[in-house]
Amino acid sequence: MTGTTLDDYTDRYARRVRGMTASEIRALFAVASRPEVVSLAGGAPYIAALPLDAVGEMLGRLGSEHGTTTLQYGIGQGTLELRERICEVMSLSGIDAACGASPEDVVVTVGGQQALDLVARLFLDPGDVVLAEGPTYVGALGVFQAAQAQVVHVPMDADGLIPEALETAIADLARAGRRVKFLYTIPTYQNPAGVTLSEERRERVLDICERAGLLVIEDDPYGQLGFEGEAPAPLRARRREGVFYLSTFSKTFAPGLRVGWILAPHAVRDKLVIASEAQILCPSGFAQAAVATYLGTMPWRQQLKVYREVYRERRDALLDALADLMPEGTSWTTPAGGLFVWATLPEGLDSKAMMPRAIAARVAYVPGTGFYADGTGTDAMRLNFSFPPPERIREGVRRLAGVMEQEIATRRVFGAVGGAAGRRGRPGSDVPGPDLA
């Protein structure tokens, strides 16, 4: 016997379970939620900015006056009323009837996470390859891992995913006989890097994928949270065939309701509904009614402006604190929207190894390793600015900078210990990432 386990069911699990690992972010929640810890880790929106009294009254009426319908089973695709409202929301970004957006092709999901899972269930076989930006959303990595697919990262810079690197990755994988199913991308205010794919690159990326016969899975939770003018039009506003558009109300209304959606090519819609029904029968009728009523009766466009102002102030507080307090050799992105800044550490520091000392100093972040399928990214961290107030953000950076200074001093005395093997290119810099072969 070579070892023991506390899990008596180890030999009974399906093969797809064997590679499952805990999310870097979820593992931090218990610690980061302590009141004495300044959390720059999670991606929680600032719900207190909502008119909570009015929202509470609305929810009460949905239960007391419409409970016989809102608390009942519904249809797998989602209510027509909500799907029509979703089309109104998408039209603000240029995804409208002129480019083929229709309530008939919208599938309501339990947050954006179920949308990702449905796409993976429909298109990924074990051993398939998914191309994704490096770094990318940790929740997507978990979905693709559960589908037994391999993620190959494509590097970014300040203008988002690099088209030439995408072409190289596709060619290298084709020569190796690997089957690439789709490109997964967060082109606008990317999580975790905060960068935005430029206007010119959006067309090039779409052309590359079209020539290669790749589907494009566009994840757009943050597109309406821009601080500096209008974001570039989504990929789905430019091409209707082969582009799946995923979004959620978690960042623009309330994550606790768990309401998202997919806008899919018409031919795929029925299969998405069947797959969703197999998972959940139907999305929550109450949650759907809450979102539809909010969109139909409350000034949600004005609320978006409130969120933008709150997050702009907090982004500026984070960027100012980083500029004032971070040790030499640290760099970071400057997001034009969204919730996150990606920071790259001075040479030799390891964000994952440093985490326990940061928690001891009462500050939390997410190590960069959580956003790469291969465990690299030790030289980086994701910093969230949406939840803490500006003064807490600055205090968190002060604590974090102190931890980093101690790490640098220790390294000077004892020398480097690990870290170099996990380095990656820096989004927002001119440092390229590694070859993708």
Side-chain angles (χ1 to χ4, degrees):
M1 188 172 182
T2 59
T4 61
T5 176
L6 296 177
D7 188 347
D8 293 334
Y9 298 90
T10 298
D11 295 335
R12 301 171 186 260
Y13 288 130
R15 291 178 182 174
R16 62 181 171 272
V17 175
R18 295 176 185 172
M20 287 184 177
T21 56
S23 161
E24 298 271 2
I25 299 175
R26 299 296 169 191
L28 284 170
F29 271 10
V31 173
S33 62
R34 296 175 187 168
E36 70 273 16
V37 175
V38 179
S39 178
L40 305 174
Y46 186 58
I47 296 300
L50 285 169
L52 292 176
D53 289 347
V55 171
E57 291 176 8
M58 177 195 78
L59 296 175
R61 289 194 302 272
L62 287 176
S64 62
E65 299 175 14
H66 306 284
T68 56
T69 55
T70 60
L71 300 177
Q72 187 56 272
Y73 286 116
I75 62 173
Q77 187 174 355
T79 66
L80 177 59
E81 179 186 10
L82 179 56
R83 288 185 278 121
E84 290 174 341
R85 296 292 183 190
I86 286 171
C87 286
E88 292 177 17
V89 172
M90 290 191 296
S91 69
L92 293 183
S93 303
I95 304 174
D96 54 23
C99 64
S102 164
E104 291 302 309
D105 295 331
V106 171
V107 177
V108 178
T109 61
V110 182
Q113 194 68 18
Q114 193 208 7
L116 278 170
D117 190 70
L118 290 176
V119 169
R121 285 172 182 268
L122 258 61
F123 291 106
L124 293 179
D125 289 315
D128 284 343
V129 174
V130 174
L131 293 173
E133 293 138 344
T136 194
Y137 169 50
V138 64
L141 292 176
V143 167
F144 303 147
Q145 179 188 64
Q148 297 177 275
Q150 179 191 2
V151 175
V152 172
H153 291 290
V154 182
M156 296 184 289
D157 60 18
D159 291 321
L161 186 147
I162 302 171
E164 294 82 2
L166 176 61
E167 287 185 299
T168 298
I170 293 170
D172 288 347
L173 289 162
R175 282 194 295 271
R178 304 297 304 280
R179 183 168 65 168
V180 184
K181 282 293 184 69
F182 53 73
L183 169 68
Y184 169 72
T185 178
I186 311 170
T188 306
Y189 316 136
Q190 202 251 9
N191 177 6
V195 300
T196 296
L197 187 64
S198 68
E199 185 76 38
E200 181 265 342
R201 285 189 181 182
R202 290 182 182 233
E203 294 296 336
R204 291 174 63 193
V205 165
L206 286 168
D207 288 342
I208 291 167
C209 290
E210 187 173 308
R211 287 196 300 269
L214 294 187
L215 300 175
V216 176
I217 310 302
E218 179 180 19
D219 199 356
D220 189 27
Y222 313 102
Q224 294 181 343
L225 296 176
F227 313 143
E228 301 170 2
E230 295 298 321
L235 304 180
R236 180 57 182 78
R238 303 159 190 267
R239 308 277 173 95
R240 68 171 69 181
E241 295 302 325
V243 180
F244 291 69
Y245 181 83
L246 283 55
S247 193
T248 178
F249 291 104
S250 291
K251 304 303 186 292
T252 56
F253 180 25
L257 291 172
R258 310 304 305 128
V259 177
W261 74 91
I262 306 174
L263 175 65
H266 186 75
V268 184
R269 188 240 5 236
D270 287 345
K271 290 183 175 59
L272 285 168
V273 173
I274 292 169
S276 182
E277 289 173 340
Q279 283 184 321
I280 61 167
L281 293 183
C282 61
S284 163
F286 189 85
Q288 291 181 83
V291 175
T293 304
Y294 173 76
L295 295 173
T297 64
M298 293 192 181
W300 60 273
R301 291 176 178 83
Q302 183 61 37
Q303 185 61 42
L304 286 176
K305 294 179 182 178
V306 171
Y307 274 134
R308 290 179 192 130
E309 288 302 318
V310 169
Y311 296 154
R312 179 191 290 114
E313 179 187 29
R314 295 178 181 203
R315 177 208 59 177
D316 291 346
L318 177 57
L319 294 179
D320 289 346
L322 292 172
D324 292 343
L325 301 171
M326 278 288 115
E328 184 178 355
T330 312
S331 62
W332 52 86
T333 58
T334 303
L339 309 182
F340 306 109
V341 165
W342 183 254
T344 304
L345 306 181
E347 184 72 30
L349 295 195
D350 183 324
S351 62
K352 191 167 186 177
M354 192 171 70
M355 190 69 205
R357 289 179 280 281
I359 293 298
R362 296 170 297 149
V363 62
Y365 58 84
V366 184
T369 51
F371 304 98
Y372 287 98
D374 55 9
T376 53
T378 58
D379 63 335
M381 61 176 67
R382 191 190 74 176
L383 304 174
N384 166 258
F385 54 80
S386 63
F387 194 74
E391 63 275 11
R392 289 284 284 172
I393 289 174
R394 188 172 186 87
E395 174 60 19
V397 174
R398 186 193 67 79
R399 296 176 187 179
L400 179 58
V403 172
M404 292 169 62
E405 294 283 9
Q406 290 179 346
E407 293 287 301
I408 292 169
T410 300
R411 187 172 182 272
R412 289 196 189 106
V413 174
F414 296 103
V417 181
R423 299 186 71 84
R424 278 274 185 175
R426 303 180 179 188
S429 78
D430 296 325
V431 181
D435 292 337
L436 293 167

